[in-house]
Each structure stands twice: as structure tokens, then as C-alpha cells.
């Protein structure tokens, strides 16, 4: 089995590359450099700490991984001959890149690429969805959606939802970061066991959208308010009050 993953270079992205290498003959990792955060320093200190606690491996180590490094925001400058070998895989996964467009998007859609969306579709789409679900008092919609890649952001058919086990979490940032871990562990297991072919997709229902999350809305003001009001005990109480399995598709809690 060969897998191509389009991803980035943070610890959580390296984790997915390494996990995929454990179940496949060959992994092609197209790694786009993540832009450095220019603001929200206080908020991202907590994010980075949670990431370091959840994802320990800082390096891509396996010999069966072929890495194609890209500078930040350059994925759409790729030519077919730059990655022609990576376009002959059995599975394609997209996680954490800038928005893919043009010929590459068409190619990936034709190959039924899976998008690992950190947010529970259809309720939350876009960027920093798990921040907004907690900020808007909907912590039960903190998780990930494994869905088909689509031409509209996070609009593809949904294969399943992966939700962090809040009982195992120590704080709000740990809770949000474990959504990434839940998505990765469950996806790798489903690919390994071929269970991925036994799950039905459902359409992404636009009528259920709570928020389309735009980068411009995630600013210093809302981040600081989040930090000020952050109380994990209250978040857990609200989670258990609102959580219902019927709101999710093929839910996996990890």
C-alpha cells in the first residue's frame, strides 16, 4: 500500500506522516512549511505546549518516507512533474496545508482524497474551528471530520467524526489538541484494517452550519477573551450537557 499525504511541518503533521509509514509500503509526504504566527503569542504558547505533550516525535525517521519540502503558501505552485511519483498512490490524505486549488485539487478529488478537517462538519467549517466551538459554548462539537476533499472548503461528504475523550484531558488546550490525535489514530487504523471501505459517506448539510470560521475573525481580542474566561471544569459540564451521539456520523471517541 502506498499513501500520499499533503501536510505541513509542525509536530502534529510529522506525527501523521510517521503513523502512516507504519502501515504502508511507501509514504510520499508533501510538506508545506507552516507560516510563523505574527500575533496571538500568549494564546499560541498554550497551543504549542499542548502539541508538545501530545506529539513527542520531532523527526521524520522511517526509510519508507519520501519527503517533498515546500516553502510556505506554495502548494499551488507545484507542477505535475514535481510530484509525479506521489500521484500513483492507493490513498491520498490532506491535513493542514494552505487551500489547494487548480489542477492538483482536481487530481486529488478524482482520486477521492480524504481531508482531515479539525472541526466537526457540517457545524463548524474553515479555520480554527475547535477554538470557535469552545468559545461559542459548543464544546461537544470539538473534534475532527474525515471527509472527502472538495472544491469548497470542508464541504465534502463526511466519512466519520473523531472526537477526543474529554475524560482523558487535563485542560482546554489538551482537549482541543487531542482532537488531532483522535483523527490520526482512527484514520490510520481504518486504513490499516481496510475498514475505510466499509463506512458510508453522508452529505455535508449546509442547513446545519453554525459558523464558517474565517482567519480574520480569529484575532487578539477574541483570543484574550478566551484565555480570560477559560475554565475547563465548566467546559466539561457543558460538554456532557450538550453531547448526543445522534449529532455525529460514525462517531469514534479516542
Amino acid at each position: 500500500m502506498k499513501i500520499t499525504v499533503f501536510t505541513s511541518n509542525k509536530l502534529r503533521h510529522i506525527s501523521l506522516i510517521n503513523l502512516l509509514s507504519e502501515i504502508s509500503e511507501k509514504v510520499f509526504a508533501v510538506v508545506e512549511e507552516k507560516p510563523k504566527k505574527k500575533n496571538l503569542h500568549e494564546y499560541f504558547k498554550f497551543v504549542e505546549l499542548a502539541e508538545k505533550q501530545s506529539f513527542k516525535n520531532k523527526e521524520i525517521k522511517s526509510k519508507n518516507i519520501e519527503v517533498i519540502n515546500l516553502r510556505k503558501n506554495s502548494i499551488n505552485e507545484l507542477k505535475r512533474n514535481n510530484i509525479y511519483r506521489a500521484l500513483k498512490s492507493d490513498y491520498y490524505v490532506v491535513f493542514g496545508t494552505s487551500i489547494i486549488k487548480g489542477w492538483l485539487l482536481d487530481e486529488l478529488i478524482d482520486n477521492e482524497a480524504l481531508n482531515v478537517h479539525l472541526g466537526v462538519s457540517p457545524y463548524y467549517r474553515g479555520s480554527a474551528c475547535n477554538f470557535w466551538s469552545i468559545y461559542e459554548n459548543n464544546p461537544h462539537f470539538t473534534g475532527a471530520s474525515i471527509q472527502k476533499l472538495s472544491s469548497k472548503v470542508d464541504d465534502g461528504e463526511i466519512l466519520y467524526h473523531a472526537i477526543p475523550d474529554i475524560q482523558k484531558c487535563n485542560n482546554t488546550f489538551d482537549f482541543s489538541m487531542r482532537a488531532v490525535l483522535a483523527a490520526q489514530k482512527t484514520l490510520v487504523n481504518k486504513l490499516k484494517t481496510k475498514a475505510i471501505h466499509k463506512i458510508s459517506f453522508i452529505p455535508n448539510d449546509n442547513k446545519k452550519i453554525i459558523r464558517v470560521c474565517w482567519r480574520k475573525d480569529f484575532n487578539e481580542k477574541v483570543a484574550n477573551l478566551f484565555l480570560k474566561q477559560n475554565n475547563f471544569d465548566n467546559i466539561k459540564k457543558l460538554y456532557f450537557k450538550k453531547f448526543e451521539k445522534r449529532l455525529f456520523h460514525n462517531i469514534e471517541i479516542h
Side-chain angles (χ1 to χ4, degrees):
M1 176 169 62
K2 295 180 182 179
I3 302 174
T4 296
V5 56
F6 293 83
T7 190
S8 192
N9 62 340
K10 294 291 188 180
L11 294 181
R12 57 189 180 274
H13 306 112
I14 293 170
S15 168
L16 179 59
I17 295 168
N18 286 330
L19 286 171
L20 291 172
S21 75
E22 294 174 5
I23 63 164
S24 60
E25 168 194 347
K26 183 77 173 181
V27 171
F28 296 96
V30 182
V31 179
E32 185 181 40
E33 181 186 358
K34 201 79 169 172
K36 292 182 179 179
K37 303 295 182 183
K38 295 180 180 179
N39 52 18
L40 305 171
H41 298 297
E42 187 67 21
Y43 176 85
F44 280 108
K45 279 197 303 185
F46 291 100
V47 173
E48 289 170 5
L49 178 60
E51 185 178 34
K52 288 177 182 178
Q53 290 173 340
S54 292
F55 305 103
K56 307 293 186 184
N57 198 335
K58 298 180 180 180
E59 299 178 4
I60 298 171
K61 293 184 175 181
S62 179
K63 293 181 179 178
N64 67 337
I65 301 172
E66 182 174 322
V67 180
I68 302 165
N69 286 308
L70 306 177
R71 67 182 187 280
K72 59 186 177 182
N73 299 319
S74 66
I75 197 164
N76 294 307
E77 297 173 17
L78 279 171
K79 306 298 182 186
R80 192 180 299 273
N81 61 0
N82 297 141
I83 57 168
Y84 70 95
R85 293 179 66 237
L87 297 174
K88 299 179 181 179
S89 291
D90 301 293
Y91 298 102
Y92 299 83
V93 178
V94 177
F95 170 52
T97 67
S98 52
I99 295 173
I100 299 174
K101 303 175 182 178
W103 75 268
L104 182 55
L105 175 63
D106 293 338
E107 182 95 11
L108 291 174
I109 289 174
D110 286 346
N111 282 290
E112 299 187 333
L114 295 173
N115 175 39
V116 179
H117 165 51
L118 293 182
V120 177
S121 292
Y123 311 104
Y124 285 87
R125 302 184 191 180
S127 175
C129 290
N130 288 332
F131 166 85
W132 287 108
S133 64
I134 299 170
Y135 183 85
E136 296 183 330
N137 294 322
N138 289 317
H140 58 304
F141 287 142
T142 300
S145 306
I146 311 303
Q147 56 192 121
K148 287 184 180 179
L149 188 67
S150 61
S151 56
K152 292 183 180 179
V153 175
D154 305 325
D155 190 50
E157 292 182 325
I158 300 164
L159 185 61
Y160 72 94
H161 290 119
I163 308 298
D165 185 346
I166 199 168
Q167 301 277 41
K168 297 179 180 178
C169 300
N170 300 314
N171 56 59
T172 307
F173 290 90
D174 182 34
F175 174 48
S176 181
M177 192 58 65
R178 280 189 67 92
V180 187
L181 192 61
Q184 293 185 6
K185 293 284 189 179
T186 56
L187 176 59
V188 169
N189 182 62
K190 289 181 188 303
L191 289 171
K192 179 182 179 180
T193 62
K194 307 295 184 183
I196 202 92
H197 300 292
K198 300 174 184 178
I199 308 173
S200 60
F201 287 88
I202 61 166
N204 215 322
D205 188 349
N206 291 335
K207 294 178 182 178
K208 294 181 179 179
I209 294 175
I210 295 173
R211 174 186 276 269
V212 177
C213 310
W214 303 107
R215 290 184 188 277
K216 63 181 177 62
D217 296 327
F218 182 41
N219 54 43
E220 201 88 40
K221 181 179 179 180
V222 296
N224 288 340
L225 187 59
F226 179 92
L227 292 174
K228 184 178 179 180
Q229 296 179 345
N230 176 31
N231 184 310
F232 192 51
D233 287 335
N234 290 340
I235 289 168
K236 283 196 289 186
K237 289 175 184 176
L238 195 56
Y239 173 95
F240 288 117
K241 181 179 179 180
K242 289 190 168 186
F243 180 86
E244 295 181 62
K245 280 192 174 182
R246 66 176 183 82
L247 299 172
F248 305 88
H249 178 59
N250 291 325
I251 188 171
E252 295 272 359
I253 300 176
H254 189 278

